[in-house]
Amino acid sequence: DVQMTQSPSSVSASVGDRVTITCRASQDISAWISWYQQKPGEAPKLLISASTTLQSDFPLRFSGRGSGTDFSLTINDLQPEDVATYYCQQVAFFPQTFGGGTKIDMK
Amino acid sequence: EVQLVQSGSQMKKPGESLKISCKASGYNFDKYWIGWVRQEAGKGPQWMGFVYPEDSDTRVNPSFRGQVTISVDKSLTTAYLQWSSLKASDTAMYFCAKWAGVGSYSLGMDVWGQGTTVTVSS
């Protein structure tokens, strides 16, 4: 299975901060990575597909980049509503695998 | 509106069977992969598998192969996840999800059900 190593596992940040989450794949997955946002008690929501394509439900302060094995999700100008856990998922190979998650909370 | 509505929470005993459902609406059901994601309390999601309704092509995570059955009924636009003999370790939240992109499983899961809690305890 492709291992997705996500870091950090948690981050505490202030309103307006820039937060970057990284995900490293154990093998080349091209740009086949998705990112999800999950709030407590809710299903995950697709945030970014194919490494860089932002879903229409989300503001432009979210962005994704990367290809091959190294990927990142950046949140600019962090807002209180961004408090959530974020997961990466590789969709290049079966089984599709998720990273361990990054929990963002507010200082 | 594209929507996935799952069946209700279940409490079962070890060894019992169970079939949970996911009713899809608002899109061409046949043309999008639909499947299941497991999430244990406090842990990350785990992809279980999915099925392409048009031809019933099914892919199952080897970790779950032989433990669960994933199926669809096109006439009811409903996907199913089934166990023949539950274990306590099957206790988790199960989400159904639709994959984005016609015929594609490479663009992530863009629509999710509300989740079905399965609790297995003697």
Side-chain angles (χ1 to χ4, degrees):
Chain A
D1 297 3
V2 178
Q3 304 302 315
M4 300 298 287
T5 304
Q6 192 173 339
S7 62
S9 57
S10 65
V11 58
S12 190
S14 301
V15 172
D17 282 354
R18 172 183 295 171
V19 174
T20 297
I21 300 166
T22 63
C23 221
R24 174 163 286 175
S26 60
Q27 64 187 81
D28 188 336
I29 59 169
S30 185
W32 298 120
I33 188 168
S34 300
W35 292 91
Y36 298 86
Q37 177 194 70
Q38 187 175 30
K39 297 185 177 181
E42 297 182 5
K45 282 190 71 174
L46 181 63
L47 171 58
I48 285 174
S49 60
S51 184
T52 61
T53 302
L54 182 67
Q55 301 303 292
S56 59
D57 289 350
F58 289 92
L60 293 176
R61 63 175 182 274
F62 291 89
S63 64
R65 62 182 297 170
S67 65
T69 60
D70 293 312
F71 303 87
S72 62
L73 169 69
T74 297
I75 310 172
N76 287 304
D77 188 24
L78 189 74
Q79 297 298 304
E81 59 266 31
D82 302 333
V83 167
T85 301
Y86 294 81
Y87 296 97
C88 61
Q89 180 203 20
Q90 68 81 18
V91 292
F93 298 101
F94 295 123
Q96 297 185 349
T97 45
F98 288 86
T102 298
K103 186 174 182 180
I104 296 178
D105 62 34
M106 286 292 179
K107 275 184 189 170
Chain B
E1 180 195 3
V2 179
Q3 206 172 3
L4 300 176
V5 178
Q6 296 184 228
S7 50
S9 297
Q10 297 282 337
M11 291 199 66
K12 291 288 191 178
K13 291 183 168 27
E16 292 185 332
S17 62
L18 176 64
K19 191 174 189 178
I20 62 176
S21 65
C22 171
K23 168 71 175 175
S25 61
Y27 71 98
N28 187 341
F29 181 73
D30 287 8
K31 300 293 189 182
Y32 294 84
W33 291 84
I34 184 167
W36 297 91
V37 173
R38 169 186 151 114
Q39 190 167 31
E40 294 178 77
K43 296 191 176 178
Q46 192 175 13
W47 176 79
M48 299 183 74
F50 49 30
V51 55
Y52 191 63
E54 184 172 72
D55 60 7
S56 294
D57 185 10
T58 306
R59 313 291 170 91
V60 178
N61 186 330
S63 296
F64 296 101
R65 198 168 288 148
Q67 312 302 312
V68 298
T69 301
I70 294 171
S71 62
V72 289
D73 185 326
K74 290 198 297 183
S75 66
L76 297 178
T77 65
T78 299
Y80 301 96
L81 179 65
Q82 185 173 2
W83 296 260
S84 58
S85 181
L86 286 159
K87 308 182 187 93
S89 57
D90 293 317
T91 295
M93 174 75 81
Y94 293 87
F95 293 101
C96 68
K98 165 191 166 291
W99 267 252
V102 172
S104 171
Y105 47 71
S106 301
L107 298 176
M109 294 166 274
D110 63 345
V111 181
W112 292 67
Q114 81 277 19
T116 296
T117 301
V118 174
T119 304
V120 184
S121 173
S122 54

